Amino acid sequence: MRAVVMSETGGPSVLQLDEVADPEPGEFQVVIRVAACGICGHDQADRMGLTHIPLPAVLGHEVAGEVVAVGGKVRRFAVGDRVAIKQFSTCGACAACLSGDELRCPQKSFNYGGYAEFMAVDEAAVLGIPDDVGFADAAVVACTIGTCYQALTRIGDVRPGETVAVTGAGGGLGLHAIQVARSLGAIPIAVTSSPTKSDELIEIGAAHVVVGGKDAWHELLDLTDGHGVDVVLDNVGAPAVFSGCFRGLRHSGRYVFTGQVTSQPINLYPAFVFGKEATITGSASTLMSSFIASMELVKQKKIRPVTSTFALDDVVGAFAAVDERAVTGRAVLLPGGAA
């Protein structure tokens, strides 16, 4: 089969299309013919060497496609099923998995292999796709929508009527976080460094758009009658963004990190935290329960996945566009053509 193989870290050109052996399913695995695979910030970090993974590697974890083979102990899926996967595989049998908090599974492992024509993955990471949801949309549900859904519900405890500031609002996570917040009955405020994206952000569901970094707090306070926003969902994790948005957080507000796009650390005075009685926390990934809920929101058309598609052969160009922030929403590779 064709696969994008990374033998060294660096720029987009380290991703090379090659022929590799077709995967065989383990006894608890399914093999998926990959119809679509999203390009995530995690993939960028892997490619640039900011993480440490064994090489050579085939990246890609935002996968949707059709089951073409199943292991002997697979019970929930059959050949021909349309499916998508989440970021992590887990055992499905330990106390954490059985309680629905599978991210604490001691056997948790990150899924790789989606930049290829076929991928083997554990059944526990797989979810069926509704008939009227396309592959490109389904591929980004777990990582792009599910991450935001989990951060805003399980971690941020967002309630109807609350204000939610979303940083990196024009990016893959941000465009979907705005929609998730709106679906929860909250009032989303988009925080972006790109003034040209204001109209698009309003169209996708933002109530207001704030352009800026460390000075964003002025406008966040103005938009909330001086109180500050109830929740900040920070997809950027940069010092200037944190400075502006934390100052714009209300008393007893919740600040939730979901990403970090720079290696710079964030510095803060503890007095700012206890004086505001703020909660600073983070959300790491997507539980199956959040995956299911997010897929249902897409099925009900309460959330519209925003994707830009590229052929698998154009993986270098796709990553270059992502690096240059020239992609609207999530870039998605199509190993089999149109999805």
Side-chain angles (χ1 to χ4, degrees):
M1 70 172 181
R2 298 187 309 153
V4 176
V5 180
M6 184 178 76
S7 298
E8 60 180 331
T9 58
S13 63
V14 302
L15 302 169
Q16 298 292 316
L17 201 62
D18 202 353
E19 287 287 332
V20 302
D22 289 357
E24 295 290 336
E27 58 183 0
F28 292 103
Q29 291 187 316
V30 302
V31 173
I32 299 170
R33 178 184 290 113
V34 180
C37 184
I39 297 177
C40 174
H42 192 289
D43 300 326
Q44 285 178 288
D46 287 336
R47 192 205 77 212
M48 292 186 288
L50 301 179
T51 60
H52 301 284
I53 63 171
L55 299 178
V58 177
L59 304 181
H61 57 274
E62 297 185 357
V63 171
E66 180 182 333
V67 175
V68 294
V70 298
K73 294 188 177 180
V74 169
R75 296 292 178 264
R76 295 190 298 115
F77 299 99
V79 171
D81 287 348
R82 301 172 70 251
V83 297
I85 73 169
K86 62 187 181 74
Q87 304 93 305
F88 288 92
S89 286
T90 51
C91 75
C94 68
C97 288
L98 294 175
S99 72
D101 194 11
E102 70 269 18
L103 293 179
R104 297 180 183 274
C105 174
Q107 297 183 43
K108 181 182 74 172
S109 61
F110 199 78
N111 287 320
Y112 287 99
Y115 296 171
E117 292 180 309
F118 299 95
M119 176 190 187
V121 66
D122 291 348
E123 178 186 29
V126 179
L127 179 67
I129 302 173
D131 291 340
D132 55 351
V133 176
F135 285 128
D137 287 349
V140 305
V141 170
C143 191
T144 310
I145 300 171
T147 294
C148 300
Y149 181 88
Q150 181 149 326
L152 291 175
T153 57
R154 184 180 176 90
I155 307 298
D157 191 26
V158 170
R159 300 150 203 161
E162 289 191 319
T163 49
V164 178
V166 177
T167 76
L173 280 179
L175 286 171
H176 297 94
I178 289 167
Q179 297 182 72
V180 171
R182 178 70 73 179
S183 76
L184 297 173
I187 302 167
I189 300 174
V191 180
T192 179
S193 60
S194 303
T196 58
K197 294 184 177 180
S198 293
D199 290 344
E200 180 183 11
L201 292 168
I202 292 295
E203 182 182 353
I204 208 72
H208 309 281
V209 177
V210 173
V211 178
K214 65 180 182 180
D215 296 324
W217 65 277
H218 293 287
E219 198 164 350
L220 292 177
L221 291 179
D222 287 345
L223 291 171
T224 55
D225 297 324
H227 298 296
V229 296
D230 298 288
V231 177
V232 174
L233 183 65
D234 192 343
N235 301 309
V236 177
V241 173
F242 173 78
S243 175
C245 289
F246 187 76
R247 292 185 72 178
L249 185 70
R250 75 180 303 147
H251 189 275
S252 299
R254 290 94 72 197
Y255 199 106
V256 185
F257 284 106
T258 58
Q260 181 178 350
V261 300
T262 172
S263 60
Q264 293 177 285
I266 289 173
N267 298 314
L268 75 159
Y269 293 103
F272 291 165
V273 181
F274 64 70
K276 200 185 279 267
E277 294 188 329
T279 298
I280 300 178
T281 184
S283 184
S285 191
T286 309
L287 292 169
M288 180 57 77
S289 57
S290 296
F291 189 8
I292 292 170
S294 298
M295 189 69 79
E296 184 64 22
L297 288 171
V298 173
K299 176 184 176 182
Q300 295 175 4
K301 303 189 185 308
K302 293 182 178 180
I303 292 179
R304 174 175 63 85
V306 182
T307 62
S308 299
T309 57
F310 298 80
L312 187 67
D313 296 19
D314 193 24
V315 62
V316 172
F319 264 88
V322 171
D323 286 357
E324 294 164 6
R325 300 184 182 180
V327 172
T328 298
R330 187 65 109 206
V332 177
L333 296 174
L334 306 179

